[in-house]
Amino acid sequence: MRQIVKRIFTAALACSMIFGTNFGTGTGIHIVHAEEPMKINYSGFMADVGWSAVSDDNRLCQAPAGSFMTAFKANLLNQPEGMTGTVTYSVNLSGSGWLSGVENGAETGATEGHMPLESVAMKLTGQLEEHYDLYYSVLQNGSWTAWAMNGASSGTEGMGYRIDGIKVSVNEKNSGEPAPQPEPPKADPVLPAQKQGKIDPNKPMIALTFDDGPNAPVTNRILDALEQNGARATFFMVGNRVSGKANVDSVKRMVNTGSQVGNHTYEHKILTKLSDDGIKSQISQGNSSVAAAAGVSPVIMRPPGGAKNDQVLKVAGSLGMTSVMWNIDTLDWKTKDKQKTVDAVLNHVKDGDIVLMHDLYGTTADAVEVIIPALVARGYQLVTVSELAAYRGGMKAGHSYGSFRK
Ligand code: NI
């Protein structure tokens, strides 16, 4: 679905490009420029807040701390009289993929729920496209992306990163990038400290991962330890376990404290023993269960038992999912021994590693309360899998990754 919608939009952009070339130029239409230069205004729907004030051309439109964009609209002002065309735009909504493009002033995205926008593409059409360049940039993962222009995508796809702000500017054709705008002062920090912490790509980083939960009594102890140490982790959850208030609250807390939600199928089924439809159903239902609690749909999955083959990866890829394995196996589920779990990590871990644990056992929480402060003291940044991947070459849907050592 995601791929299909995207192709339609790309095709639509290509068509309008052809249309512009054939009929737009050399028609002899006299262009009357309005007194005021053309510009674009825009607004974002910020989760739990509502539509932002309208931002003027090239001004930052930014969600307040703790919120993020779930919908978007934009409209042109002072369009030169007699000049054909409008602005079209499409958003990539987490869990849905690229939505169909809409035109000048229309809303796109979702104004209910907590699915964030992940990327945006915009362009001018008709004669406007020949006379103006449209630039846009999004605030993602703490920084503004480089300007994208004229139909290119701005923002990541399938990484689970949300858009926290946007700026858009329309400029005379080939006049270069818009002038940079000063960033407004940072809002009061209402988020946990680690969520605002920037990752230093030059410092070592590790992804701790927890499978088979949620299991609130243990999961919450792990979240406590993460929060107290400015750290985050990734939780590969079994869909049918995401039920009951305590477990659902744990999942919400993961997202609110910067950890990543992952998919460990709906019923912990060994995927290599299932048909394509069976694999698809286990992954899709797992995503739906987690998304219903988290407000964000997982983009990474871990096959139960680590059992994967080409068929599993192909089906996962068709759903936009990436498989994530591990390279440090603590065997915490087998030993149920705090010290052995601590040693398995602290005696072997290196920069770029993915550590496997399970948030089912009290002994694992005991170990985590030692492991997390010890790793932080050694200078490791404890990040999510998608963050680790982002600094180490990235991930592709339908592929599987076991570590991100340099
Ligand atoms: Ni498992």
Side-chain angles (χ1 to χ4, degrees):
M1 184 61 186
R2 164 180 294 208
Q3 289 302 321
I4 291 166
V5 173
K6 188 176 170 184
R7 280 197 203 106
I8 290 169
F9 183 61
T10 310
L13 289 179
C15 288
S16 67
M17 190 82 82
I18 291 161
F19 182 85
T21 307
N22 287 346
F23 303 101
T25 50
T27 50
I29 293 172
H30 179 63
I31 306 299
V32 180
H33 284 271
E35 283 181 17
E36 293 286 323
M38 188 169 80
K39 59 183 187 174
I40 189 159
N41 280 358
Y42 42 96
S43 173
F45 190 91
M46 308 306 181
D48 297 325
V49 178
W51 285 102
S52 68
V54 172
S55 291
D56 207 9
D57 196 293
N58 196 17
R59 301 289 164 177
L60 307 181
C61 171
Q62 212 168 320
S67 182
F68 48 88
M69 272 176 62
T70 65
F72 176 70
K73 58 183 173 184
N75 66 289
L76 293 171
L77 296 178
N78 311 323
Q79 180 165 350
E81 221 174 296
M83 197 181 283
T84 65
T86 188
V87 59
T88 67
Y89 41 95
S90 175
V91 296
N92 186 327
L93 180 66
S94 193
S96 303
W98 286 99
L99 306 184
S100 300
V102 298
E103 284 189 359
N104 200 30
E107 297 174 8
T108 182
T111 53
E112 281 174 9
H114 285 86
M115 289 300 193
L117 301 185
E118 294 189 17
S119 38
V120 172
M122 305 181 70
K123 84 184 291 288
L124 298 171
T125 61
Q127 291 168 334
L128 288 179
E129 188 189 357
E130 298 152 27
H131 293 266
Y132 295 91
D133 286 322
L134 186 64
Y135 287 87
Y136 39 96
S137 160
V138 297
L139 175 61
Q140 201 162 47
N141 209 25
S143 58
W144 290 91
T145 60
W147 289 108
M149 63 189 288
N150 300 341
S153 167
S154 180
T156 59
E157 287 174 40
M159 303 277 296
Y161 290 151
R162 59 197 213 184
I163 291 181
D164 294 327
I166 189 166
K167 54 182 174 178
V168 187
S169 184
V170 60
N171 291 269
E172 296 274 351
K173 195 84 188 166
N174 301 324
S175 63
E177 291 187 351
Q181 292 292 320
E183 290 203 26
K186 279 245 183 304
D188 289 342
V190 296
L191 295 180
Q194 77 273 11
K195 250 184 125 177
Q196 300 195 1
K198 291 242 162 61
I199 297 171
D200 183 344
N202 299 313
K203 288 188 180 160
M205 51 187 107
I206 289 170
L208 299 180
T209 68
F210 298 92
D211 286 10
D212 295 353
N215 175 30
V218 173
T219 309
N220 285 333
R221 284 180 62 196
I222 292 168
L223 289 169
D224 288 341
L226 290 166
E227 223 174 322
Q228 285 156 15
N229 290 280
R232 44 205 183 267
T234 302
F235 294 84
F236 291 99
M237 291 177 277
V238 178
N240 67 9
R241 291 194 59 94
V242 186
S243 65
K245 187 176 186 311
N247 278 355
V248 168
D249 284 349
S250 290
V251 176
K252 289 186 198 301
R253 198 178 154 201
M254 291 169 194
V255 176
N256 289 335
T257 54
S259 281
Q260 183 171 16
V261 294
N263 179 325
H264 199 44
T265 76
Y266 184 68
E267 296 168 300
H268 206 269
K269 287 269 173 79
I270 298 301
L271 296 178
T272 49
K273 295 181 177 171
L274 301 182
S275 65
D276 280 7
D277 283 349
I279 298 167
K280 195 173 267 186
S281 152
Q282 281 295 315
I283 298 175
S284 300
Q285 282 192 73
N287 276 352
S288 303
S289 301
V290 172
V296 179
S297 192
V299 294
I300 54 177
M301 54 92 56
R302 176 170 284 159
K308 62 175 168 55
N309 55 21
D310 287 349
Q311 181 200 10
V312 169
L313 293 181
K314 196 174 136 223
V315 175
S318 75
L319 297 168
M321 303 292 289
T322 303
S323 162
V324 174
M325 306 293 277
W326 60 87
N327 68 320
I328 300 274
D329 190 351
T330 60
L331 298 175
D332 61 333
W333 60 274
K334 199 172 181 182
T335 67
K336 295 195 186 68
D337 183 295
K338 171 187 169 183
Q339 196 54 45
K340 282 181 178 158
T341 303
V342 169
D343 291 344
V345 179
L346 297 187
N347 294 348
H348 301 283
V349 79
K350 284 193 175 130
D351 179 29
D353 282 353
I354 301 175
V355 179
L356 170 63
M357 289 182 274
H358 298 78
D359 52 333
L360 291 183
Y361 314 106
T363 45
T364 296
D366 294 340
V368 162
E369 286 162 359
V370 175
I371 290 167
I372 290 176
L375 290 175
V376 170
R378 288 188 195 176
Y380 285 109
Q381 303 172 96
L382 300 181
V383 300
T384 68
V385 168
S386 281
E387 287 169 337
L388 177 61
Y391 289 98
R392 299 290 162 82
M395 294 189 288
K396 282 191 188 133
H399 292 245
S400 187
Y401 302 84
S403 88
F404 292 91
R405 280 192 182 178
K406 273 182 183 166

